[in-house]
Amino acid sequence: MVLENIQAATKLIEDHSVLEMENLFDLNKLSGKIINEESELIPLMTSDDEEAINKEKLPKSLSILPLKNTVLFPGVVIPITATRNKSVKLIKAANKGDKLIGVVSQINNKVSDPKIGDINNIGTVAKILRVLQMPDGNLTIIIQGKKRFKIEKILFEKPFIKAEICEINEIKPQKNDKKYNATIDSIKDLALKIIDENPNIPSEASIAIKNIHSNTFLVNFVSSNMNISVSDKYKILETDSHQHRAIECLKYMNIEFQKLSLKNDIQSKVRNDLDQQQREYYLNQQLKTIQEELGSSSIHKDIEDIRTKASIKKWTKDVKNHFEKELVKLQRINTQMAEYSIQRNYIDLLLDLPWNEFSKDNYKLDNALRTLNKDHFGLKTVKERIIEQIAVLKLKGDMSAPILCFYGPPGVGKTSLGKSIAKALGREYVRISLGGLRDESEIRGHRKTYIGAMPGRIIQNLKKVKTSNPVFVLDEIDKMSIGNQGDPSSAMLEVLDPEQNISFYDNFLELGFDLSKVLFIATANNINNIQPALLDRMELINISGYSLEEKVQIAKKYLIKKQKDNHGLGNDAFVLDNDVITAIIKGYTKESGVRLLDKKISKISRWVAKSIVKKESYEHKLKIHHLKDILGIGLDQTISENNDISGIVNGLAWTQYGGEILFIESTMSKGKGNLSITGNLGKVMKESATIALEYLKSNSQLLGVKNQDFFENNFHIHVPEGATPKDGPSAGITILTSLVSLVKNKKVKSSLAMSGEITLRGKVLPVGGIKEKILAAKRANIKQVVLPLANKKHVDEIEKKYIKGLKFRYVEKMIEVIKFSLEKNKL
């Protein structure tokens, strides 16, 4: 059996020529190779072999071979590769003699030329079974351990160590020692478990363990093959008692088994993870091959491009997880299916939206004010509000943007003001026209399941500007209407609520998007048309109409230059003086803003451009008499009624297009005291007429009117321009004055206009639109204006130079209006 083992080991060494220098060949691997290649070749020792070894006598002296990395145990066969000159000389000399050598382990394996102090003094006598010359020049021997020995005295150290030795007595257990036998059984069982658990040891090695019948050799064999340090192995070898040696061996085996179990547990977990990754990789490679065969290899490139883009997005954890799920869904969809394009559009939207990406605000107040003044004339209140907002942003660094609503007549610069604010803040500018919008999906978007689905306008525009904090102008918010597809104004409630828009939900996006940093600016002509809940969410800023003087300045500073640039004209192409501009405003425009004035200047610019191209001569400095040839016949201007007929009064009205002069006339005819009203009047205005007549009846004595006049005559009130709807309570005092003038047959003072609401108690209540009404009075050459006392504060806010030439009379009671307005003498 030993000879067969030697032959097998020799064959293995010849097949595997690369061996560690003087290192122990891992006997686990060696045994495994032998068993795999020749199942009968298992390194066993019979009882006869052990008895023969015990009977052998040791020589008095031996050549000592130090080993770096192993310990030789009695009965064990191991191969050793020798590279040191001393070792080679020792082996060659011993092989020529009795083939016996003394094998000891080094105390320090880093010493290349060990002396007596560098080796352990207990070793194992070994017999050289075979010597092999390897192709690389090294010498490999196969040796078998015989008996333990102890070094008594060193005889010489050159050319190799030789020493006197003595045999060490073995303390053997009793034949029927139960403790020893139990220890041996435990060693055998544990050895089988280790072979079972360790994938590096072939399962056939268990056959070798089961066929070892010598308890002493079992301990030596297991100790030699354990994965423990040289010092631990030496500790087992130097133990004289077989009982203690077996216990030491079992102790180290238990430690090794625990380490092996822990290692296997860790490897099992790692292997499961790796197996899953390998499985996914394998499936992905198969999928890639299939798709390449189908001509869809570009999909993989698209997916990789998408992942590259996604890696730089500033997503929250929830958005990132959602994106990964949607991307996996995209990979599963066939590119030929309609769902693929919908899913791809959705992925692209997630990638293109500016998640937590903000443009840097410009906090320089001087620069902001300079920008606003450059683009717009006047608008002091609005500019102050924007400067305040920038100041707060500079102090706090971050805050939810307010929702501003600019309301006023057309052409006063509400929309363009939003663009100037964006420029002042250094933000991107977005404008959405809401006029006539009646589909809720335009705001919230459509669900992905619909064909042609797309996000709402809010999300679409954020995608375009690529920042989450632009200036967003919601133009004509009062023009939204309710349709069959829902109420868009209700959908705007979430957009324009600073408490809710931190997570605005779009039906297509299916995720909350933060709109809290967007500066929303809404524009409207008439806030009465806006839903109350929506109106409550906005900060209202009134932009009233411009006075004549303001319009002249706006034309000189902005409009003329703009139109010259638009028409390719130089600065000296034509000149408009103040009087000419004033003539254009009075004769060709009738508005609170400057839009129509801008059109007239544009027409002048076109006329000049035509003259230049046709090489016609014209006066560069245009005069008033030129306007008729260029602009045609002017508009009929509204002027105050100053005739000598009683019952006619100039009223002041506010419309969404600005202030207007409202003529009210009344007549009296024989009848029974009936009241009739014409002129396309609204319900509120009709009620004002009824209140005025009833007040007049109940206070006839106070007003000096005959009571029977109200029962013998019918009264008719008419407001000209019957095609124009008119409503509101502000014509109350005007109607009352008209009726009193009629019944008392006294005319109203010339160049007088009035506005105010009345009550049955005779009080005059405040009204709105004061600035627009005053501007309308100036356009109509009114000299005196009667207003409620509570509106005095609104007049005080207007710059004095714009109301120059107007006199104001403030009243609290209707009797004051009558006394001031009527002439003293009857007609």
Side-chain angles (χ1 to χ4, degrees):
M1 181 64 73
V2 171
L3 181 60
E4 289 174 341
N5 289 340
I6 295 169
Q7 291 172 344
T10 303
K11 181 177 182 301
L12 181 64
I13 292 167
E14 289 171 348
D15 292 340
H16 302 274
S17 60
V18 181
L19 298 175
E20 295 257 342
M21 172 172 42
E22 290 191 16
N23 287 355
L24 167 66
F25 229 152
D26 187 342
L27 199 56
N28 285 332
K29 294 179 182 177
L30 179 63
S31 301
K33 291 291 181 182
I34 294 171
I35 293 168
N36 284 338
E37 293 173 9
E38 300 289 343
S39 59
E40 296 295 326
L41 302 179
I42 301 171
L44 303 174
M45 177 176 282
T46 63
S47 300
D48 294 340
D49 292 334
E50 184 179 5
E51 187 177 346
I53 288 174
N54 289 334
K55 289 180 179 179
E56 289 181 6
K57 290 186 179 180
L58 299 182
K60 291 183 179 181
S61 62
L62 278 177
S63 301
I64 304 301
L65 177 65
L67 300 182
K68 282 184 180 181
N69 299 318
T70 191
V71 175
L72 179 64
F73 286 84
V76 177
V77 177
I78 60 171
I80 296 172
T81 297
T83 57
R84 291 190 286 214
N85 291 332
K86 283 187 176 182
S87 300
V88 171
K89 291 178 181 178
L90 184 151
I91 290 168
K92 287 182 178 179
N95 193 42
K96 290 178 183 178
D98 58 4
K99 299 185 183 295
L100 293 178
I101 58 175
V103 177
V104 296
S105 58
Q106 289 185 199
I107 297 173
N108 185 358
N109 61 4
K110 293 182 180 179
V111 178
S112 58
D113 185 16
K115 301 292 190 281
I116 187 61
D118 299 322
I119 59 176
N120 292 309
N121 63 341
I122 293 178
T124 303
V125 176
K127 185 172 184 180
I128 299 174
L129 302 179
R130 190 157 185 177
V131 178
L132 301 171
Q133 189 71 40
M134 304 306 292
D136 58 1
N138 292 333
L139 200 63
T140 298
I141 59 173
I142 298 174
I143 58 175
Q144 181 182 30
K146 296 293 186 179
K147 288 184 175 181
R148 296 188 307 148
F149 70 87
K150 184 177 182 181
I151 297 175
E152 291 288 336
K153 182 181 177 182
I154 298 297
L155 298 177
F156 54 81
E157 294 186 11
K158 290 184 179 180
F160 44 79
I161 299 174
K162 191 163 186 176
E164 289 183 2
I165 64 169
C166 65
E167 187 175 344
I168 302 173
N169 293 326
E170 305 284 338
I171 304 174
K172 297 180 180 181
Q174 297 294 324
K175 190 173 183 180
N176 296 319
D177 190 332
K178 293 182 180 180
K179 183 177 179 181
Y180 180 69
N181 292 335
T183 305
I184 295 300
D185 290 341
S186 297
I187 290 173
K188 187 174 289 188
D189 292 342
L190 198 54
L192 294 174
K193 287 182 180 180
I194 292 173
I195 292 170
D196 233 12
E197 291 281 337
N198 195 337
N200 296 323
I201 303 175
S203 58
E204 291 85 349
S206 59
I207 301 173
I209 299 296
K210 291 175 182 177
N211 284 286
I212 295 176
H213 301 296
S214 169
N215 294 339
T216 306
F217 178 68
L218 176 66
V219 173
N220 291 340
F221 182 76
V222 171
S223 300
S224 177
N225 288 285
M226 272 196 297
N227 187 23
I228 58 177
S229 64
V230 173
S231 60
D232 291 336
K233 286 185 179 181
Y234 178 74
K235 189 175 180 181
I236 297 173
L237 179 68
E238 68 177 352
T239 304
D240 297 335
S241 170
H242 286 206
Q243 173 74 40
H244 293 159
R245 192 183 302 169
I247 292 172
E248 283 292 315
C249 177
L250 184 60
K251 181 182 77 171
Y252 288 116
M253 285 182 75
N254 274 312
I255 295 172
E256 185 174 356
F257 181 70
Q258 290 173 3
K259 288 181 180 179
L260 184 62
S261 298
L262 183 61
K263 179 182 177 183
N264 286 343
D265 288 342
I266 296 171
Q267 286 182 340
S268 177
K269 292 177 182 178
V270 173
R271 191 180 301 112
N272 288 337
D273 293 340
L274 289 174
D275 289 347
Q276 180 65 22
Q277 292 177 7
Q278 289 172 347
R279 179 175 176 274
E280 290 177 358
Y281 175 77
Y282 177 70
L283 291 175
N284 283 328
Q285 288 300 111
Q286 283 188 319
L287 182 63
K288 182 178 178 181
T289 304
I290 293 170
Q291 288 175 335
E292 285 176 353
E293 291 296 324
L294 294 173
S296 57
S297 58
S298 62
I299 296 174
H300 288 280
K301 186 177 183 302
D302 290 345
I303 297 297
E304 290 303 317
D305 291 343
I306 289 172
R307 291 194 180 279
T308 303
K309 291 179 181 178
S311 63
I312 61 174
K313 299 300 289 184
K314 300 175 183 178
W315 281 329
T316 61
K317 186 177 180 181
D318 292 340
V319 176
K320 186 175 182 181
N321 292 338
H322 180 80
F323 172 80
E324 291 295 336
K325 290 179 183 178
E326 295 298 326
L327 186 58
V328 170
K329 192 186 297 183
L330 177 69
Q331 291 176 277
R332 293 174 180 169
I333 300 175
N334 191 319
T335 55
Q336 306 302 317
M337 297 177 68
E339 288 82 356
Y340 179 83
S341 61
I342 295 174
Q343 187 67 13
R344 180 59 193 267
N345 290 338
Y346 182 68
I347 292 291
D348 289 340
L349 176 66
L350 289 176
L351 289 172
D352 293 339
L353 279 177
W355 301 90
N356 297 316
E357 295 177 13
F358 307 100
S359 59
K360 189 175 180 182
D361 286 335
N362 186 348
Y363 295 136
K364 295 180 179 178
L365 302 184
D366 293 340
N367 177 71
L369 186 58
R370 188 163 49 250
T371 302
L372 294 172
N373 287 334
K374 180 181 177 182
D375 295 342
H376 291 84
F377 181 83
L379 306 180
K380 181 180 178 182
T381 304
V382 183
K383 293 174 181 177
E384 286 178 353
R385 179 63 184 84
I386 300 305
I387 295 300
E388 289 169 0
Q389 180 67 20
I390 298 174
V392 173
L393 283 171
K394 185 173 184 179
L395 289 177
K396 191 176 180 184
D398 180 31
M399 70 173 293
S400 296
I403 314 298
L404 304 179
C405 179
F406 299 151
Y407 72 96
V412 294
K414 299 184 296 297
T415 304
S416 60
L417 189 60
K419 196 168 188 178
S420 297
I421 292 171
K423 192 191 302 182
L425 285 170
R427 293 190 180 188
E428 295 293 331
Y429 171 74
V430 180
R431 176 183 168 273
I432 296 179
S433 178
L434 300 178
L437 192 72
R438 60 179 61 200
D439 189 352
E440 179 190 349
S441 299
E442 292 288 332
I443 306 298
R444 286 194 177 278
H446 308 81
R447 296 197 178 277
K448 287 192 300 181
T449 51
Y450 299 138
I451 295 174
M454 61 179 65
R457 293 194 187 184
I458 305 294
I459 296 298
Q460 285 185 43
N461 282 280
L462 287 174
K463 173 185 170 183
K464 288 180 183 177
V465 297
K466 300 186 182 304
T467 64
S468 294
N469 64 335
V471 173
F472 224 114
V473 174
L474 303 171
D475 212 7
E476 308 293 353
I477 197 170
D478 58 327
K479 307 297 191 302
M480 288 190 295
S481 57
I482 300 175
N484 296 328
Q485 292 79 28
D487 181 8
S489 62
S490 297
M492 292 296 293
L493 293 176
E494 183 183 3
V495 176
L496 299 184
D497 191 338
E499 299 299 325
Q500 295 182 36
N501 65 12
I502 193 171
S503 182
F504 170 67
Y505 185 87
D506 186 276
N507 290 328
F508 186 86
L509 184 61
E510 295 180 344
L511 286 169
F513 194 90
D514 187 3
L515 300 179
S516 62
K517 303 299 185 294
V518 177
L519 179 56
F520 285 103
I521 297 176
T523 70
N525 296 130
N526 187 2
I527 59 175
N528 296 323
N529 297 335
I530 303 175
Q531 188 184 122
L534 185 58
L535 195 64
D536 183 61
R537 283 162 166 77
M538 299 186 290
E539 181 181 340
L540 300 177
I541 298 177
N542 182 25
I543 301 180
S544 56
Y546 297 111
S547 66
L548 176 63
E549 293 79 6
E550 287 178 314
K551 289 181 181 180
V552 171
Q553 293 301 318
I554 291 171
K556 289 178 64 178
K557 292 184 177 180
Y558 306 102
L559 302 183
I560 295 174
K561 184 179 185 303
K562 183 183 78 170
Q563 293 303 336
K564 285 180 177 178
D565 292 341
N566 291 347
H567 293 85
L569 301 175
N571 289 331
D572 57 348
F574 65 90
V575 177
L576 296 178
D577 288 336
N578 289 4
D579 57 339
V580 178
I581 298 172
T582 302
I584 295 172
I585 295 169
K586 287 184 175 182
Y588 294 90
T589 68
K590 187 179 178 181
E591 60 177 348
S592 293
V594 291
R595 187 167 290 150
L596 191 55
L597 175 60
D598 190 37
K599 291 179 181 178
K600 296 304 176 183
I601 296 174
S602 174
K603 190 171 183 179
I604 293 173
S605 300
R606 291 195 300 272
W607 182 86
V608 171
K610 181 201 70 171
S611 300
I612 292 173
V613 172
K614 295 178 71 174
K615 298 182 180 178
E616 296 176 348
S617 62
Y618 68 95
E619 290 190 34
H620 289 74
K621 189 173 183 179
L622 298 176
K623 303 294 183 181
I624 294 176
H625 65 270
H626 294 133
L627 296 180
K628 185 176 180 181
D629 296 332
I630 301 172
L631 300 179
I633 300 174
L635 300 173
D636 292 331
Q637 292 299 306
T638 301
I639 59 173
S640 62
E641 293 283 357
N642 291 319
N643 53 20
D644 296 329
I645 302 173
S646 63
I648 297 179
V649 187
N650 298 315
L652 296 174
W654 178 90
T655 69
Q656 60 180 331
Y657 303 105
E660 293 288 345
I661 290 292
L662 195 68
F663 303 118
I664 295 180
E665 54 188 27
S666 57
T667 59
M668 185 171 59
S669 60
K670 289 295 182 180
K672 297 181 180 180
N674 296 327
L675 175 65
S676 56
I677 306 170
T678 57
N680 199 356
L681 306 185
K683 183 179 178 182
V684 177
M685 200 165 179
K686 288 180 179 179
E687 290 174 351
S688 296
T690 304
I691 293 170
L693 184 59
E694 291 303 319
Y695 174 78
L696 192 55
K697 288 179 181 179
S698 61
N699 294 276
S700 58
Q701 188 175 357
L702 176 65
L703 297 171
V705 180
K706 294 179 182 179
N707 198 33
Q708 63 268 25
D709 288 345
F710 300 110
F711 301 99
E712 296 175 355
N713 298 289
N714 290 335
F715 294 91
H716 185 92
I717 299 174
H718 177 67
V719 182
E721 296 187 23
T724 305
K726 310 167 192 72
D727 200 6
S730 63
I733 65 172
T734 314
I735 296 172
L736 175 64
T737 304
S738 176
L739 289 172
V740 174
S741 171
L742 179 66
V743 295
K744 295 186 73 171
N745 197 24
K746 290 183 178 181
K747 71 173 185 177
V748 179
K749 290 180 179 178
S750 61
S751 301
L752 175 69
M754 58 185 67
S755 181
E757 183 180 355
I758 60 174
T759 70
L760 284 174
R761 295 175 295 162
K763 295 191 68 175
V764 179
L765 301 181
V767 291
I770 294 300
K771 185 176 180 181
E772 287 82 0
K773 292 176 180 179
I774 292 174
L775 294 177
K778 284 206 71 175
R779 287 198 301 269
N781 295 320
I782 297 292
K783 304 300 181 184
Q784 299 181 86
V785 178
V786 178
L787 293 174
L789 182 62
N791 286 126
K792 184 178 185 299
K793 58 185 178 183
H794 299 107
V795 178
D796 293 339
E797 290 178 354
I798 305 172
E799 291 187 39
K800 300 299 180 185
K801 62 181 179 179
Y802 299 140
I803 57 177
K804 186 179 180 182
L806 281 178
K807 292 182 179 180
F808 295 93
R809 175 77 177 199
Y810 301 106
V811 295
E812 289 185 280
K813 296 181 180 180
M814 288 192 280
I815 191 66
E816 298 177 43
V817 179
I818 302 302
K819 288 180 179 180
F820 177 76
S821 303
L822 300 181
E823 297 283 359
K824 293 182 180 181
N825 299 322
K826 291 186 178 182
L827 292 172

